[in-house]
Structure formats: structure tokens, C-alpha cells
Amino acid sequence: VSEITDRKNSEKRIRRLAFFDTLTGLPNRQSFQQQLRGLIHTAKKNNEKIAVLYIDLDDFKRINDTLGHTVGDGVIKAIAQRLSGSVRSPDADVLSDETPVGAARLGGDEFACAICNFANDDVLSAIAERICEQLRQPIDHDGHEFVVSPSVGISIFPDDADNVEDLLKNADVAMYQAKDAGKDNVRFYSGTLAFRSLHGLALENDLRRA
């Protein structure tokens, strides 16, 4: 007989460092991708759709540059708590209709979540706007009040992509289109958006060579 409590606790800590963000406690990018693969596997069997929301905080860098990263970290934690409060974990036994799942911090001021069982794009837009409205509420931290707006890009399985990597990439493209459209709004991915983004990148590279 041997005492293995310390070893088990160490394994738990290592797993948490590997799959969870240390600042917010949310799943990290690796964990979100793993969970999303499971959701896609289930959706394929049940002929269902999944939406990925890619969320970026507008002008967040200004907070870090003006008040420092300690204050910025406090704002990130507050945003993470609000996001996790508006979504459910994919580990839940039962997912009700139109249930957002799988909130994660992808890095910096970027977050994501997945939504299952939505009826149509209008319902999905309403869910996304409801999440955004919660994130827009004023945050009191360290003697300051902050109002942080989100830009959100949405891609849908299987319409826009049939794998995790492309779903995230396309949602990211749509998010940048939301920023280009004036920030603080929601945009759905489309092939036209992707073409414009690639064309803009190619044009920029050509101009630099010129």
C-alpha cells in the first residue's frame, strides 16, 4: 500500500494548467477545440448544426496601455465571469434547445463559445446579442468604471466548415469584419468575406513588395 494523494493532486494541477486558462479559470484554446470536436461528432450523428462565436473586446489594449496589465487582468476576469454565467459547459448531461455551451478564453482579450440546437439565424443572432449585452454592462474595478464592447464573428457547422480549425478560422474572419464595420456588432461568416480578407492581405503584401 502506498500513499498516492500527492501524485494525484499533481496530475490534477498539470491537467488544469494544460487545459484551463490560469487567469480566468475558463477552458483554454486547446480545451475548447477538444470539446468542439466532441460536439461536432455528436452533431454529425444527429444531423444538427453548431455555431461558433468568436468574441474580441474592442480597444481593450487601451486599458492595458493606460492603467497597466494588472487592471486589464481584472477586467478580463470580470468579462470571463459574465461570459461563463451566460453559457453552459458541454460537459452538462442535458443540453436544452438554444443552449450556448463551451465558453473559453482563446488568449489575450479573445473568447469563444459554441451554440447548439438553434432554430435559425435569427434565433442565433438574438442569442449572440444577448451575450453581447451582458458583456457591455459597466465594470467597476480598482476605482474605475469600464464599458467594454465586444465584436463577434459567427461561423456555422456544417454550412461554413466541417472541422474545428476551419470553424474557428472562419469565425475569426467574421469577427474582423465586425470590427471593420464599426465594432460592437455581430457578423456571420460568408465566402465573400473570406475572399475580401484574402484579397486585402494579398494586396497589402503586393504593395509592400512594390
Side-chain angles (χ1 to χ4, degrees), residues 47-154:
N47 195 28
E48 296 174 342
K49 290 187 176 184
I50 300 171
V52 172
L53 276 62
Y54 203 112
I55 305 165
D56 184 89
L57 305 181
D58 298 327
D59 301 319
F60 179 78
K61 184 176 182 295
R62 184 174 57 186
I63 297 176
N64 280 337
D65 292 345
T66 305
L67 298 173
H69 287 271
T70 300
V71 174
D73 286 350
V75 174
I76 287 291
K77 289 174 70 175
I79 291 292
Q81 289 173 355
R82 290 181 180 181
L83 183 60
S84 62
S86 64
V87 302
R88 292 182 59 189
S89 167
D91 295 328
D93 294 334
V94 178
L95 296 177
S96 62
D97 289 345
E98 303 165 7
T99 300
V101 297
R105 184 188 183 200
L106 303 183
D109 60 341
E110 295 181 338
F111 298 84
C113 66
I115 297 176
C116 301
N117 306 322
F118 56 94
N120 51 54
D121 287 354
D122 290 339
V123 172
L124 185 56
S125 294
I127 295 171
E129 182 55 39
R130 188 169 67 239
I131 292 172
C132 290
E133 185 60 31
Q134 292 186 26
L135 300 186
R136 292 188 194 107
Q137 298 303 310
I139 298 170
D140 293 318
H141 179 73
D142 198 34
H144 301 276
E145 183 179 270
F146 304 94
V147 177
V148 182
S149 63
S151 292
V152 181
I154 301 176

